[in-house]
């Protein structure tokens, strides 16, 4: 109905396997939200289906899918439940670290077909360089899906002899360190308005020894894996994941309000909502907006993918266009969910009505740093040929 074209039935074996799980994911969305995390058995079923291996290097048995297929799968899961889609997205993007690691360490962490990994890129930890390992302490927010993970990563500022290390440009030096989830303390901090079922609470470690080969710098290191997928910038793929969840969530909201409009009678009038001109116009505008946002994002992904398959790097304009398209899609998706929620009337305010969950989930997605309003300024600087910190792209 919405015109978004993402059929995952032809994406290898993983597409049909995930499609088979969607009815259960959707039926258990309220349970997931109440638990404030993705139920362990659902996470295990998604792992067995290959949902967390979408971007894992093929050399480790991963699927190494093209970015557009990644979008289609994550969006489809998010149609069933945005929290489940978000957990898939975070687990998938965390496997990008495998492309930067030596094969032995990458295999130890990411090698199992059904492994679930996660983590937080933001350098909220402190790691003291002690030769062949780091001594890591820190507490990280936004640990989505962490309760189901076997391995977690945490960004950390790197110190040596108590002195903060720096990149060549003078910026603070930081890396993402990976460690077994059994060594982590989980903190019950995820009490939020939306995406409640993602389990995105804090986690911490104290004086944990982490071998250096279990760390990566997405800023300073180059991928060891030559695949075109790993030319995509980390923030670009992360933003693509966030916008994929937002698009799938919005598509589901439109489908739901359309069904309500067709079947719900106007009080006292006997007509269905679908016969009201205002409802018709609002749904048409929302459908066009969502389809347009998807089309722009599809085009931006295609441009970057074409560049990634060439000999050079993805251009600054290509990166900026991708980030802009992701932020735009996320923003439009929230507006579409607001339209669906508003058209839902008084019934939409009840916690048992999924339209209010779609509305809340959509507006939490807009707060993610990879698709937040500041991205428009970042992209605008590139469009106007102004200097910009390319690390953020």
């Amino acid at each position: 109905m919405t015109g978004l074209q993402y059929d995952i039935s032809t994406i290898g074996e993983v597409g049909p396997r995930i499609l088979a799980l969607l009815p259960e994911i959707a039926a258990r969305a309220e349970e997931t939200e109440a638990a404030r995390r993705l139920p362990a058995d659902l996470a295990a079923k998604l792992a067995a289906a290959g949902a967390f291996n979408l971007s894992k290097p093929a050399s480790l048995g991963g699927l190494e899918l093209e970015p557009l297929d990644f979008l289609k799968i994550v969006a489809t899961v998010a149609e069933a439940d945005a929290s489940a889609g978000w957990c898939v997205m975070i687990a998938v993007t965390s496997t990008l670290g495998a492309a930067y690691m030596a094969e032995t360490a990458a295999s130890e962490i990411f090698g199992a077909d059904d492994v679930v990994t996660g983590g937080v890129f933001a350098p909220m930890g402190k790691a003291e360089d002690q030769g062949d390992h780091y001594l890591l302490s820190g507490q990280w927010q936004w640990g989505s899906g962490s309760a189901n993970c076997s391995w977690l990563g945490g960004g950390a500022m790197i110190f040596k002899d108590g002195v903060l290390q720096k990149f060549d440009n003078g910026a603070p030096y930081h890396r993402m360190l990976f460690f077994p989830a059994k060594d982590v303390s989980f903190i019950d901090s995820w009490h939020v308005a939306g995406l409640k079922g993602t389990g995105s609470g804090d986690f911490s470690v104290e004086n944990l020894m982490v071998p250096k080969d279990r760390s990566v710098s997405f800023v300073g290191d180059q991928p060891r894996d030559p695949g075109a997928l790993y030319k995509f910038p980390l923030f670009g793929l992360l933003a693509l994941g966030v916008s994929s969840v937002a698009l799938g969530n919005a598509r589901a909201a439109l489908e739901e309000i359309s069904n309500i409009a067709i079947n719900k009678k106007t009080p006292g009038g006997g007509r269905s909502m679908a016969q009201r001109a205002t409802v018709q116009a609002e749904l048409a505008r929302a459908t066009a907006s969502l389809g347009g946002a998807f089309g722009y994002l599809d085009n931006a992904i295609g441009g970057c993918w074409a560049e990634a398959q060439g000999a050079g790097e993805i251009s600054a304009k290509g990166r900026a266009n991708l980030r802009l398209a992701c932020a735009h899609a996320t923003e439009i998706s929230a507006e579409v969910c607001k339209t669906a929620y508003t058209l839902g009337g008084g019934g939409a305010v009840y916690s048992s009505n999924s339209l209010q969950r779609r509305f809340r989930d959509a507006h939490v997605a807009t707060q993610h740093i990879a698709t937040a309003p500041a991205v428009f300024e970042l992209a605008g600087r590139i469009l106007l040929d102004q200097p910009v910190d390319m690390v953020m792209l």
Side-chain angles (χ1 to χ4, degrees), residues 54-129:
L54 308 182
S55 298
K56 184 193 295 187
S59 60
L60 289 176
L63 299 174
E64 203 171 319
L65 294 183
E66 296 182 13
L68 185 58
D69 285 341
F70 164 55
L71 178 154
K72 291 177 180 179
I73 289 179
V74 171
T76 299
V77 176
E79 278 191 74
D81 177 28
S83 286
W86 191 273
C87 288
V88 169
M89 177 269 293
I90 290 294
V92 168
T93 52
S94 75
T95 65
L96 295 170
Y100 290 74
M101 287 184 183
E103 183 178 352
T104 301
S107 180
E108 178 185 16
I109 297 169
F110 302 101
D113 289 340
D114 61 350
V115 70
V116 186
T117 59
V120 179
F121 170 80
M124 300 177 182
K126 176 181 178 180
E128 182 71 28
D129 186 338

Side-chain angles (χ1 to χ4, degrees), residues 6-9 14-29 32 42 45-46 49 51 72-82 84-85 88 248 251-252 357-358:
Y6 44 79
D7 175 15
I8 70 169
S9 63
V14 68
R17 288 174 179 171
I18 289 176
L19 285 174
L21 292 175
L22 297 184
E24 181 179 3
I25 293 171
R28 297 178 65 182
T32 297
L42 272 183
K45 290 175 182 178
L46 283 163
K72 291 177 180 179
I73 289 179
V74 171
T76 299
V77 176
E79 278 191 74
D81 177 28
V88 169
R251 183 179 183 182
R357 185 176 68 249
R358 297 291 183 184

Side-chain angles (χ1 to χ4, degrees), residues 176-254:
M176 190 168 184
L177 284 62
F178 288 85
F179 36 84
K182 64 180 178 59
D183 295 332
V184 169
S185 296
F186 293 102
I187 300 162
D188 184 16
S189 58
W190 192 240
H191 301 272
V192 291
L195 291 174
K196 289 185 177 181
T198 60
S200 303
D202 294 13
F203 62 88
S204 67
V205 301
E206 186 69 28
N207 293 325
L208 181 66
M209 290 178 57
V210 180
K212 284 188 172 180
D213 62 0
R214 293 183 189 165
S215 72
V216 300
S217 171
F218 292 109
V219 176
D221 297 348
Q222 292 297 313
R224 295 178 182 272
D225 194 296
L229 177 63
Y230 309 114
K231 285 187 180 181
F232 265 65
L234 173 71
F235 277 113
L237 284 168
L238 182 58
L240 178 56
V242 174
S243 58
S244 301
V245 173
L247 286 167
N249 183 58
R251 183 179 183 182
L254 270 187

Side-chain angles (χ1 to χ4, degrees), residues 256-257 260 264 273 340-357:
E256 181 165 343
I257 193 58
I260 291 173
K264 183 178 179 180
M273 284 177 60
Y341 171 79
T342 302
L343 291 176
V349 307
Y350 288 93
S351 59
S352 59
N353 188 306
S354 62
L355 282 176
Q356 53 77 33
R357 185 176 68 249

